[in-house]
Structures are given as C-alpha cells and as structure tokens.
Coordinates of all heavy atoms in Angstrom, one line a residue:
G1 N -25.2 -5.4 -20.1 CA -24.2 -4.4 -19.7 C -22.9 -4.7 -20.3 O -22.6 -5.7 -20.9
K2 N -22.0 -3.8 -20.1 CA -20.6 -3.9 -20.6 C -19.7 -4.5 -19.6 O -19.9 -4.3 -18.5 CB -20.1 -2.5 -21.1 CG -20.5 -2.0 -22.3 CD -19.7 -0.7 -22.5 CE -20.1 -0.1 -23.8 NZ -19.3 1.3 -24.0
N3 N -18.8 -5.3 -20.1 CA -17.8 -5.8 -19.2 C -16.6 -4.8 -19.4 O -16.1 -4.6 -20.4 CB -17.3 -7.2 -19.5 CG -18.3 -8.2 -19.1 OD1 -19.0 -8.1 -18.2 ND2 -18.3 -9.3 -19.9
I4 N -16.0 -4.3 -18.2 CA -14.9 -3.4 -18.3 C -13.8 -4.2 -17.6 O -13.9 -4.7 -16.5 CB -15.2 -2.1 -17.5 CG1 -16.4 -1.4 -18.3 CG2 -14.0 -1.2 -17.4 CD1 -16.9 -0.2 -17.6
F5 N -12.6 -4.2 -18.2 CA -11.5 -4.9 -17.7 C -10.4 -3.8 -17.3 O -10.1 -2.9 -18.1 CB -10.9 -5.9 -18.7 CG -11.8 -7.0 -19.0 CD1 -12.6 -6.9 -20.1 CD2 -11.9 -8.1 -18.2 CE1 -13.5 -7.9 -20.4 CE2 -12.8 -9.1 -18.5 CZ -13.6 -9.1 -19.6
L6 N -9.9 -3.9 -16.1 CA -8.9 -3.0 -15.6 C -7.7 -3.8 -15.3 O -7.8 -4.8 -14.6 CB -9.4 -2.4 -14.3 CG -8.4 -1.5 -13.5 CD1 -8.0 -0.2 -14.4 CD2 -9.0 -1.0 -12.1
I7 N -6.5 -3.4 -15.8 CA -5.3 -4.0 -15.5 C -4.7 -3.2 -14.4 O -4.4 -2.0 -14.6 CB -4.4 -4.1 -16.7 CG1 -5.0 -5.0 -17.8 CG2 -3.0 -4.7 -16.3 CD1 -4.2 -5.0 -19.1
L8 N -4.5 -3.8 -13.3 CA -3.9 -3.1 -12.1 C -2.7 -3.8 -11.5 O -2.8 -5.0 -11.4 CB -5.0 -3.1 -11.1 CG -4.7 -2.5 -9.7 CD1 -4.5 -1.0 -9.8 CD2 -5.9 -2.7 -8.8
F9 N -1.7 -3.1 -11.3 CA -0.4 -3.7 -10.8 C -0.2 -3.0 -9.5 O -0.1 -1.8 -9.4 CB 0.7 -3.4 -11.8 CG 0.6 -4.1 -13.1 CD1 0.2 -3.4 -14.2 CD2 0.9 -5.5 -13.2 CE1 0.1 -4.1 -15.4 CE2 0.8 -6.1 -14.3 CZ 0.4 -5.4 -15.4
I10 N -0.1 -3.8 -8.4 CA 0.3 -3.3 -7.1 C 1.6 -4.0 -6.8 O 1.7 -5.3 -7.0 CB -0.8 -3.5 -6.1 CG1 -2.0 -2.6 -6.4 CG2 -0.3 -3.2 -4.7 CD1 -3.1 -2.7 -5.5
D11 N 2.6 -3.3 -6.3 CA 3.9 -4.0 -6.0 C 3.7 -5.3 -5.1 O 2.8 -5.3 -4.2 CB 4.8 -3.1 -5.2 CG 5.4 -2.0 -6.2 OD1 5.0 -2.0 -7.4 OD2 6.2 -1.1 -5.8
K12 N 4.5 -6.2 -5.3 CA 4.3 -7.5 -4.6 C 4.9 -7.4 -3.1 O 4.5 -8.1 -2.3 CB 5.2 -8.6 -5.4 CG 5.0 -9.9 -4.8 CD 5.7 -11.0 -5.7 CE 5.6 -12.4 -5.2 NZ 6.1 -13.4 -6.1
Y13 N 6.0 -6.5 -3.0 CA 6.6 -6.4 -1.7 C 6.5 -5.0 -1.2 O 6.4 -4.0 -1.9 CB 8.1 -6.7 -1.9 CG 8.3 -8.1 -2.4 CD1 8.7 -8.4 -3.7 CD2 8.1 -9.2 -1.6 CE1 8.9 -9.7 -4.2 CE2 8.3 -10.6 -2.1 CZ 8.7 -10.7 -3.3 OH 8.9 -12.0 -3.8
E14 N 6.4 -4.9 0.2 CA 6.4 -3.6 0.8 C 7.7 -2.9 0.6 O 8.7 -3.4 0.2 CB 6.2 -3.7 2.3 CG 5.1 -4.5 2.8 CD 5.2 -6.0 3.0 OE1 6.2 -6.6 2.5 OE2 4.4 -6.6 3.5
V15 N 7.6 -1.6 0.8 CA 8.9 -0.8 0.7 C 9.7 -0.9 1.9 O 9.1 -0.8 3.1 CB 8.4 0.8 0.5 CG1 9.7 1.6 0.6 CG2 7.7 1.1 -0.7
T16 N 10.9 -1.3 1.9 CA 11.7 -1.5 3.0 C 12.2 -0.2 3.6 O 12.3 0.8 2.9 CB 13.0 -2.5 2.7 OG1 13.8 -1.8 1.8 CG2 12.5 -3.8 2.1
I17 N 12.6 -0.3 4.9 CA 13.3 0.9 5.5 C 14.4 1.3 4.7 O 14.7 2.5 4.5 CB 13.5 0.5 7.0 CG1 12.2 0.3 7.8 CG2 14.4 1.5 7.6 CD1 12.5 -0.3 9.1
R18 N 15.3 0.3 4.3 CA 16.5 0.6 3.5 C 16.1 1.4 2.2 O 16.8 2.4 2.0 CB 17.2 -0.7 3.1 CG 18.3 -0.5 2.3 CD 19.0 -1.8 1.8 NE 19.5 -2.4 3.0 CZ 19.8 -3.8 3.0 NH1 19.7 -4.5 1.9 NH2 20.3 -4.3 4.1
D19 N 15.1 1.0 1.5 CA 14.7 1.7 0.3 C 14.2 3.1 0.6 O 14.5 4.1 -0.1 CB 13.6 0.9 -0.5 CG 14.2 -0.4 -1.1 OD1 15.5 -0.4 -1.3 OD2 13.4 -1.3 -1.4
Y20 N 13.4 3.2 1.6 CA 12.8 4.5 2.0 C 13.9 5.5 2.5 O 13.8 6.7 2.2 CB 11.7 4.4 3.1 CG 11.0 5.7 3.3 CD1 10.1 6.2 2.3 CD2 11.2 6.4 4.4 CE1 9.4 7.3 2.5 CE2 10.5 7.7 4.6 CZ 9.7 8.1 3.6 OH 9.0 9.3 3.7
K21 N 14.9 5.0 3.2 CA 16.0 5.8 3.6 C 16.8 6.4 2.5 O 17.4 7.5 2.6 CB 16.9 5.1 4.5 CG 16.4 4.9 6.0 CD 17.5 4.2 6.9 CE 17.0 4.1 8.3 NZ 18.1 3.4 9.1
K22 N 16.8 5.8 1.4 CA 17.5 6.3 0.1 C 16.8 7.6 -0.3 O 17.4 8.5 -0.9 CB 17.6 5.2 -1.0 CG 18.4 4.1 -0.7 CD 18.3 3.0 -1.8 CE 19.0 1.8 -1.4 NZ 18.8 0.7 -2.4
F23 N 15.5 7.6 -0.1 CA 14.6 8.8 -0.4 C 14.6 9.8 0.6 O 14.7 11.0 0.4 CB 13.2 8.2 -0.7 CG 12.2 9.3 -0.8 CD1 12.1 10.1 -1.9 CD2 11.2 9.5 0.2 CE1 11.2 11.2 -2.0 CE2 10.4 10.5 0.2 CZ 10.3 11.3 -1.0
N24 N 14.5 9.4 1.9 CA 14.4 10.3 3.0 C 15.5 9.9 4.0 O 15.2 9.1 4.9 CB 13.0 10.3 3.6 CG 12.9 11.2 4.8 OD1 13.9 11.8 5.3 ND2 11.7 11.3 5.3
R25 N 16.7 10.6 3.9 CA 17.8 10.2 4.8 C 17.4 10.6 6.3 O 18.2 10.1 7.2 CB 19.0 10.9 4.3 CG 19.4 10.4 3.0 CD 20.6 11.2 2.5 NE 20.8 11.0 1.0 CZ 21.7 10.3 0.5 NH1 22.6 9.7 1.3 NH2 21.8 10.2 -0.8
N26 N 16.5 11.4 6.5 CA 16.1 11.8 7.9 C 15.1 10.9 8.6 O 14.8 11.1 9.7 CB 15.5 13.2 7.9 CG 16.6 14.3 7.4 OD1 17.8 14.2 7.8 ND2 16.2 15.2 6.7
Y27 N 14.7 9.8 7.9 CA 13.7 8.9 8.4 C 14.3 8.1 9.6 O 15.4 7.5 9.4 CB 13.1 7.9 7.3 CG 12.2 6.9 7.9 CD1 11.0 7.2 8.3 CD2 12.6 5.6 8.0 CE1 10.1 6.3 8.9 CE2 11.9 4.6 8.5 CZ 10.6 4.9 8.9 OH 9.8 4.0 9.5
I28 N 13.6 8.1 10.7 CA 14.1 7.3 11.8 C 13.0 6.4 12.1 O 11.9 6.7 12.5 CB 14.4 8.2 13.1 CG1 15.4 9.3 12.7 CG2 14.8 7.3 14.2 CD1 15.7 10.3 13.8
P29 N 13.2 5.0 11.9 CA 12.2 4.1 12.2 C 11.9 4.0 13.7 O 12.8 4.2 14.5 CB 12.8 2.7 11.7 CG 14.2 2.9 11.6 CD 14.5 4.5 11.4
P30 N 10.7 3.5 14.1 CA 10.4 3.4 15.5 C 11.1 2.3 16.1 O 11.7 1.4 15.5 CB 8.9 3.1 15.5 CG 8.6 2.6 14.1 CD 9.6 3.1 13.2
E31 N 11.2 2.3 17.4 CA 11.8 1.2 18.2 C 11.2 -0.2 17.8 O 10.0 -0.3 17.6 CB 11.5 1.4 19.7 CG 12.3 0.5 20.6 CD 12.1 0.8 22.0 OE1 11.9 2.0 22.4 OE2 12.1 -0.1 22.8
G32 N 12.1 -1.1 17.6 CA 11.7 -2.4 17.2 C 11.8 -2.6 15.7 O 11.6 -3.7 15.2
F33 N 12.1 -1.6 14.9 CA 12.2 -1.6 13.5 C 13.7 -1.3 13.1 O 13.9 -0.5 12.2 CB 11.2 -0.7 12.9 CG 9.8 -1.2 12.8 CD1 9.1 -1.2 13.9 CD2 9.3 -1.8 11.6 CE1 7.8 -1.7 13.9 CE2 8.1 -2.2 11.6 CZ 7.3 -2.2 12.7
E34 N 14.7 -1.9 13.8 CA 16.0 -1.6 13.5 C 16.6 -2.3 12.3 O 17.5 -1.8 11.6 CB 17.0 -1.9 14.7 CG 16.8 -0.9 15.9 CD 15.5 -1.2 16.7 OE1 15.0 -2.3 16.7 OE2 15.1 -0.3 17.5
N35 N 15.9 -3.4 11.8 CA 16.3 -4.1 10.7 C 15.8 -3.4 9.4 O 14.7 -3.2 9.3 CB 15.7 -5.5 10.8 CG 16.1 -6.4 9.6 OD1 16.5 -5.9 8.6 ND2 15.9 -7.7 9.8
D36 N 16.8 -2.9 8.6 CA 16.5 -2.2 7.4 C 15.7 -3.0 6.3 O 15.2 -2.3 5.4 CB 17.7 -1.6 6.8 CG 18.1 -0.3 7.4 OD1 17.5 0.2 8.3 OD2 19.2 0.2 7.0
L37 N 15.5 -4.2 6.6 CA 14.7 -5.0 5.6 C 13.2 -5.1 6.0 O 12.4 -5.7 5.2 CB 15.3 -6.4 5.4 CG 16.8 -6.4 4.8 CD1 17.3 -7.9 4.7 CD2 16.7 -5.7 3.5
L38 N 12.8 -4.6 7.1 CA 11.5 -4.5 7.5 C 10.8 -3.4 6.7 O 11.3 -2.5 6.2 CB 11.3 -4.2 9.0 CG 11.8 -5.3 9.9 CD1 11.8 -4.8 11.4 CD2 10.9 -6.6 9.9
P39 N 9.4 -3.5 6.6 CA 8.6 -2.5 5.9 C 8.7 -1.2 6.5 O 8.8 -1.1 7.8 CB 7.3 -3.0 5.8 CG 7.2 -4.1 6.7 CD 8.5 -4.6 7.0
V40 N 8.7 -0.1 5.8 CA 8.7 1.2 6.3 C 7.3 1.5 7.0 O 6.3 1.0 6.5 CB 9.0 2.3 5.3 CG1 8.0 2.5 4.3 CG2 9.4 3.6 6.0
V41 N 7.3 2.1 8.2 CA 6.1 2.4 8.9 C 6.2 3.8 9.5 O 7.2 4.4 9.4 CB 5.9 1.4 10.1 CG1 5.7 0.0 9.7 CG2 7.0 1.5 11.1
N42 N 5.0 4.3 9.9 CA 4.9 5.6 10.5 C 5.2 6.8 9.6 O 5.9 7.7 9.9 CB 5.7 5.7 11.8 CG 5.2 4.9 12.9 OD1 4.1 4.2 12.8 ND2 5.8 4.8 14.0
I43 N 4.8 6.6 8.4 CA 4.9 7.8 7.4 C 3.5 8.2 7.0 O 2.6 7.4 7.0 CB 5.8 7.5 6.2 CG1 5.2 6.4 5.3 CG2 7.1 7.1 6.6 CD1 5.9 6.2 4.0
S44 N 3.4 9.4 6.6 CA 2.0 9.9 6.1 C 1.7 9.5 4.7 O 2.6 9.1 4.0 CB 2.0 11.5 6.3 OG 2.8 12.0 5.2
Y45 N 0.4 9.7 4.4 CA 0.0 9.5 3.0 C 0.8 10.3 2.1 O 1.2 9.8 1.0 CB -1.5 9.8 2.9 CG -2.0 9.7 1.5 CD1 -2.4 8.6 0.9 CD2 -2.0 10.9 0.7 CE1 -2.9 8.6 -0.4 CE2 -2.4 10.9 -0.6 CZ -2.8 9.7 -1.2 OH -3.2 9.6 -2.5
F46 N 1.0 11.5 2.5 CA 1.8 12.4 1.5 C 3.2 12.0 1.4 O 3.8 12.2 0.3 CB 1.7 13.9 2.1 CG 0.3 14.3 2.1 CD1 -0.4 14.4 3.3 CD2 -0.5 14.7 0.9 CE1 -1.7 14.8 3.4 CE2 -1.8 14.9 1.0 CZ -2.5 15.0 2.3
E47 N 3.9 11.5 2.5 CA 5.2 11.0 2.3 C 5.3 9.8 1.5 O 6.2 9.7 0.6 CB 5.7 10.7 3.7 CG 6.0 11.9 4.6 CD 6.3 11.6 6.0 OE1 5.6 10.8 6.6 OE2 7.2 12.3 6.6
A48 N 4.3 8.9 1.6 CA 4.2 7.7 0.8 C 4.0 8.1 -0.7 O 4.6 7.5 -1.6 CB 3.1 6.8 1.2
E49 N 3.1 9.1 -0.9 CA 2.9 9.6 -2.3 C 4.2 10.2 -2.9 O 4.4 9.9 -4.1 CB 1.8 10.6 -2.2 CG 1.3 11.1 -3.6 CD 0.2 12.1 -3.4 OE1 0.2 13.1 -2.6 OE2 -0.8 11.9 -4.1
E50 N 4.9 11.0 -2.2 CA 6.2 11.5 -2.7 C 7.2 10.5 -3.0 O 7.9 10.5 -4.0 CB 6.7 12.6 -1.7 CG 5.9 13.8 -1.7 CD 5.9 14.6 -3.0 OE1 6.9 14.7 -3.7 OE2 4.7 15.0 -3.4
Y51 N 7.2 9.4 -2.1 CA 8.2 8.4 -2.4 C 7.8 7.6 -3.7 O 8.6 7.3 -4.5 CB 8.2 7.3 -1.2 CG 9.0 6.1 -1.5 CD1 10.4 6.2 -1.4 CD2 8.4 5.0 -1.9 CE1 11.2 5.1 -1.8 CE2 9.2 3.8 -2.3 CZ 10.5 3.9 -2.2 OH 11.3 2.8 -2.6
A52 N 6.5 7.4 -3.8 CA 6.1 6.7 -5.0 C 6.4 7.5 -6.3 O 6.9 6.9 -7.2 CB 4.6 6.4 -5.0
K53 N 6.2 8.8 -6.2 CA 6.5 9.6 -7.3 C 8.0 9.6 -7.6 O 8.4 9.6 -8.8 CB 6.1 11.0 -7.1 CG 4.6 11.3 -7.2 CD 4.3 12.8 -7.0 CE 2.8 13.0 -6.9 NZ 2.5 14.4 -6.6
S54 N 8.8 9.5 -6.6 CA 10.3 9.5 -6.7 C 10.8 8.3 -7.5 O 11.9 8.4 -8.0 CB 11.0 9.7 -5.4 OG 11.1 8.6 -4.7
I55 N 10.0 7.2 -7.5 CA 10.5 6.0 -8.1 C 9.6 5.7 -9.4 O 9.6 4.6 -9.9 CB 10.5 4.8 -7.2 CG1 9.2 4.5 -6.5 CG2 11.6 5.0 -6.1 CD1 9.0 3.2 -5.8
G56 N 8.9 6.8 -9.8 CA 8.1 6.6 -11.0 C 6.8 5.8 -10.8 O 6.4 5.3 -11.9
K57 N 6.3 5.8 -9.7 CA 5.1 5.1 -9.4 C 4.0 6.0 -8.8 O 4.3 7.2 -8.7 CB 5.3 3.9 -8.6 CG 6.3 2.9 -9.2 CD 6.5 1.7 -8.3 CE 7.4 0.7 -9.1 NZ 7.5 -0.6 -8.2
R58 N 2.9 5.4 -8.4 CA 1.9 6.3 -7.7 C 1.2 5.3 -6.8 O 1.2 4.1 -6.8 CB 0.9 6.8 -8.7 CG 0.1 5.8 -9.4 CD -1.0 6.5 -10.3 NE -1.8 5.5 -11.1 CZ -2.8 4.7 -10.5 NH1 -3.1 4.9 -9.3 NH2 -3.4 3.8 -11.3
L59 N 0.5 6.0 -5.8 CA -0.3 5.1 -4.9 C -1.6 4.7 -5.5 O -2.1 5.5 -6.4 CB -0.6 5.9 -3.7 CG 0.6 6.3 -2.8 CD1 0.1 7.1 -1.5 CD2 1.3 5.2 -2.3
P60 N -2.2 3.6 -5.2 CA -3.5 3.2 -5.9 C -4.6 4.1 -5.3 O -4.5 4.6 -4.2 CB -3.8 1.8 -5.3 CG -2.6 1.4 -4.5 CD -1.7 2.6 -4.3
T61 N -5.6 4.3 -6.1 CA -6.8 5.1 -5.7 C -7.6 4.1 -4.7 O -7.3 3.0 -4.6 CB -7.7 5.4 -6.9 OG1 -8.2 4.2 -7.4 CG2 -6.9 6.2 -7.9
E62 N -8.6 4.8 -4.1 CA -9.5 4.0 -3.2 C -10.1 2.9 -4.0 O -10.2 1.8 -3.4 CB -10.5 4.9 -2.6 CG -11.4 4.2 -1.6 CD -12.5 5.1 -1.0 OE1 -12.5 6.3 -1.2 OE2 -13.3 4.6 -0.2
N63 N -10.6 3.2 -5.1 CA -11.3 2.1 -5.9 C -10.4 1.0 -6.3 O -10.7 -0.2 -6.4 CB -12.0 2.7 -7.1 CG -13.3 3.4 -6.8 OD1 -13.8 3.2 -5.7 ND2 -13.7 4.3 -7.6
E64 N -9.1 1.4 -6.6 CA -8.1 0.4 -7.0 C -7.8 -0.5 -5.8 O -7.6 -1.8 -5.9 CB -6.9 1.0 -7.5 CG -7.1 1.6 -8.9 CD -5.9 2.5 -9.4 OE1 -5.2 3.0 -8.5 OE2 -5.8 2.7 -10.6
W65 N -7.7 0.0 -4.6 CA -7.5 -0.7 -3.3 C -8.6 -1.7 -3.2 O -8.4 -2.9 -2.8 CB -7.4 0.2 -2.1 CG -6.0 0.7 -1.8 CD1 -5.6 1.9 -1.8 CD2 -4.9 -0.1 -1.5 NE1 -4.2 2.0 -1.4 CE2 -3.7 0.7 -1.3 CE3 -4.6 -1.5 -1.4 CZ2 -2.5 0.3 -0.9 CZ3 -3.3 -1.9 -1.0 CH2 -2.3 -1.0 -0.8
I66 N -9.8 -1.3 -3.3 CA -11.0 -2.1 -3.2 C -11.0 -3.2 -4.1 O -11.2 -4.4 -3.8 CB -12.3 -1.2 -3.3 CG1 -12.4 -0.3 -2.1 CG2 -13.5 -2.2 -3.4 CD1 -13.6 0.7 -2.3
L67 N -10.6 -3.0 -5.3 CA -10.5 -4.0 -6.5 C -9.4 -5.0 -6.1 O -9.7 -6.2 -6.2 CB -10.2 -3.4 -7.8 CG -10.0 -4.4 -8.9 CD1 -11.3 -5.2 -9.2 CD2 -9.6 -3.7 -10.2
A68 N -8.3 -4.5 -5.6 CA -7.2 -5.4 -5.3 C -7.6 -6.3 -4.1 O -7.3 -7.4 -4.1 CB -6.0 -4.6 -4.9
A69 N -8.3 -5.8 -3.1 CA -8.7 -6.5 -2.0 C -9.8 -7.6 -2.4 O -9.8 -8.7 -1.9 CB -9.2 -5.6 -0.8
R70 N -10.7 -7.1 -3.1 CA -11.9 -7.9 -3.5 C -11.6 -8.9 -4.6 O -12.3 -9.9 -4.6 CB -13.0 -7.0 -3.8 CG -14.4 -7.7 -4.0 CD -15.5 -6.7 -4.2 NE -15.7 -5.9 -3.0 CZ -16.2 -4.6 -3.0 NH1 -16.5 -4.0 -4.1 NH2 -16.3 -4.0 -1.9
G71 N -10.8 -8.6 -5.5 CA -10.5 -9.4 -6.6 C -11.7 -9.3 -7.6 O -12.4 -8.2 -7.7
N72 N -12.0 -10.4 -8.3 CA -13.0 -10.4 -9.3 C -14.4 -10.8 -8.7 O -15.3 -10.9 -9.5 CB -12.7 -11.3 -10.5 CG -11.5 -10.9 -11.2 OD1 -11.4 -9.6 -11.4 ND2 -10.6 -11.7 -11.7
S73 N -14.5 -10.8 -7.4 CA -15.8 -11.2 -6.9 C -16.8 -10.0 -6.8 O -16.3 -8.9 -6.8 CB -15.6 -11.9 -5.5 OG -15.3 -10.9 -4.6
D74 N -18.0 -10.3 -6.5 CA -19.0 -9.2 -6.3 C -19.3 -9.0 -4.8 O -20.4 -8.5 -4.4 CB -20.3 -9.5 -7.1 CG -20.1 -9.3 -8.6 OD1 -19.3 -8.5 -9.0 OD2 -20.8 -10.1 -9.3
L75 N -18.4 -9.5 -3.9 CA -18.7 -9.4 -2.6 C -18.6 -7.9 -2.1 O -17.8 -7.1 -2.7 CB -17.6 -10.2 -1.8 CG -17.6 -11.7 -2.0 CD1 -16.4 -12.3 -1.3 CD2 -18.9 -12.3 -1.5
I76 N -19.4 -7.5 -1.1 CA -19.4 -6.1 -0.6 C -18.0 -6.0 0.1 O -17.4 -4.9 0.0 CB -20.5 -5.9 0.4 CG1 -21.8 -6.0 -0.4 CG2 -20.4 -4.5 1.1 CD1 -23.0 -6.0 0.5
Y77 N -17.5 -6.9 0.9 CA -16.2 -6.8 1.6 C -15.4 -7.9 1.1 O -15.9 -8.9 0.6 CB -16.5 -7.0 3.1 CG -17.5 -6.0 3.7 CD1 -18.8 -6.4 4.0 CD2 -17.3 -4.7 3.9 CE1 -19.7 -5.6 4.6 CE2 -18.1 -3.8 4.4 CZ -19.4 -4.3 4.8 OH -20.4 -3.4 5.3
P78 N -14.1 -7.8 1.3 CA -13.1 -8.8 0.8 C -13.4 -10.2 1.4 O -13.1 -11.2 0.8 CB -11.8 -8.3 1.1 CG -12.0 -6.8 1.4 CD -13.3 -6.6 1.8
F79 N -14.0 -10.2 2.6 CA -14.3 -11.5 3.3 C -15.7 -11.9 3.2 O -16.1 -12.9 3.9 CB -13.9 -11.3 4.8 CG -14.3 -10.0 5.4 CD1 -15.6 -9.8 5.8 CD2 -13.4 -8.9 5.5 CE1 -16.1 -8.7 6.4 CE2 -13.9 -7.7 6.1 CZ -15.2 -7.6 6.5
G80 N -16.6 -11.3 2.5 CA -18.0 -11.7 2.4 C -18.9 -10.5 2.3 O -18.5 -9.4 2.2
N81 N -20.2 -10.8 2.3 CA -21.2 -9.8 2.3 C -21.7 -9.3 3.6 O -22.5 -8.3 3.7 CB -22.4 -10.2 1.4 CG -22.0 -10.3 -0.1 OD1 -21.3 -9.5 -0.5 ND2 -22.6 -11.2 -0.8
I82 N -21.3 -9.9 4.7 CA -21.8 -9.5 6.0 C -20.5 -9.0 6.7 O -19.5 -9.6 6.8 CB -22.4 -10.8 6.8 CG1 -23.6 -11.3 6.1 CG2 -22.7 -10.3 8.2 CD1 -24.2 -12.5 6.6
F83 N -20.7 -7.8 7.3 CA -19.6 -7.1 8.0 C -19.3 -7.8 9.3 O -20.1 -8.1 10.1 CB -19.9 -5.7 8.3 CG -18.8 -4.9 8.9 CD1 -17.6 -4.6 8.2 CD2 -18.8 -4.6 10.2 CE1 -16.6 -3.9 8.7 CE2 -17.7 -4.0 10.9 CZ -16.6 -3.6 10.1
D84 N -18.0 -8.2 9.5 CA -17.5 -8.9 10.7 C -16.6 -8.0 11.3 O -15.5 -7.8 10.8 CB -17.0 -10.1 10.3 CG -16.5 -11.1 11.4 OD1 -16.4 -10.4 12.6 OD2 -16.2 -12.3 11.3
K85 N -16.9 -7.4 12.4 CA -16.0 -6.4 13.1 C -14.6 -7.1 13.4 O -13.6 -6.3 13.4 CB -16.6 -6.0 14.4 CG -17.8 -5.0 14.3 CD -18.3 -4.6 15.6 CE -19.5 -3.7 15.4 NZ -20.0 -3.3 16.7
S86 N -14.6 -8.3 13.6 CA -13.3 -8.9 13.9 C -12.3 -8.9 12.7 O -11.1 -9.2 12.8 CB -13.5 -10.4 14.4 OG -13.9 -11.2 13.3
K87 N -12.9 -8.7 11.5 CA -12.1 -8.8 10.3 C -11.9 -7.4 9.7 O -11.3 -7.2 8.6 CB -12.7 -9.7 9.3 CG -12.7 -11.1 9.7 CD -13.4 -12.0 8.7 CE -13.4 -13.4 9.1 NZ -14.1 -14.3 8.2
G88 N -12.5 -6.4 10.3 CA -12.4 -5.1 9.6 C -12.0 -3.9 10.2 O -11.8 -2.9 9.7

C-alpha cells in the first residue's frame, strides 16, 4: 500500500474570551468565566466556524480531529483499542 502523509496544524492555544469578544462584541461569558484570558465556552459550532473564518482559519474536519487525537498510531481510540467509558 501507499503511505499518505498529511500535514495538519491545529492551534496550540484555545481562543480566549478576549479574542472572541473582538469578533463578537455581544458575547457574554457564563458565570465563573469573568477572566478574559480563559478559553471561550458556550458557543455553537457555527459561531466557532465563523470566528475561524474571520481570522483566516477553519475548523478541523472530523477525520482531522481523529488524526490529531490519535497521532500516528493505529489505535481505534486515542487511549487504546478497548473502549473505556471512563475515558470517553
């Protein structure tokens, strides 16, 4: 078979509330997330997708997420070949 190599870049850091507020000034973080340096939470997939587009990026596809979680191994799950409810 052929070896296929995929170069995949996923941001190293989460999007902060501060960064997301620059995009959506109406965003109100939930209680307990008053620090603007915390990651943004409680947004929809579509809001995340629009944010990514606004900064010239995109969200990873499902297969890209799987590859990022699994790495170069042939494991079924990122934590092994046997499903463990406590990890998933």
Side-chain angles (χ1 to χ4, degrees):
K2 284 185 174 179
N3 287 332
I4 299 175
F5 296 96
L6 173 67
I7 297 174
L8 175 65
F9 295 100
I10 293 182
D11 288 0
K12 185 174 182 177
Y13 302 104
E14 301 93 347
V15 175
T16 64
I17 293 170
R18 178 183 294 164
D19 290 336
Y20 189 73
K21 281 183 176 179
K22 292 175 190 173
F23 165 74
N24 179 353
R25 295 174 198 256
N26 296 320
Y27 174 73
I28 300 171
E31 187 175 326
F33 282 77
E34 289 79 19
N35 181 340
D36 276 358
L37 297 178
L38 291 173
V40 69
V41 295
N42 293 355
I43 64 170
S44 71
Y45 171 86
F46 301 104
E47 291 167 320
E49 185 176 49
E50 287 301 314
Y51 173 78
K53 285 180 187 177
S54 78
I55 60 169
K57 298 182 179 185
R58 67 175 176 81
L59 298 179
T61 65
E62 180 179 0
N63 286 336
E64 289 168 340
W65 271 119
I66 291 169
L67 177 64
R70 189 175 291 152
N72 292 328
S73 74
D74 289 330
L75 299 174
I76 295 171
Y77 306 104
F79 46 78
N81 287 326
I82 299 172
F83 184 74
D84 181 346
K85 289 182 183 180
S86 70
K87 296 181 181 177

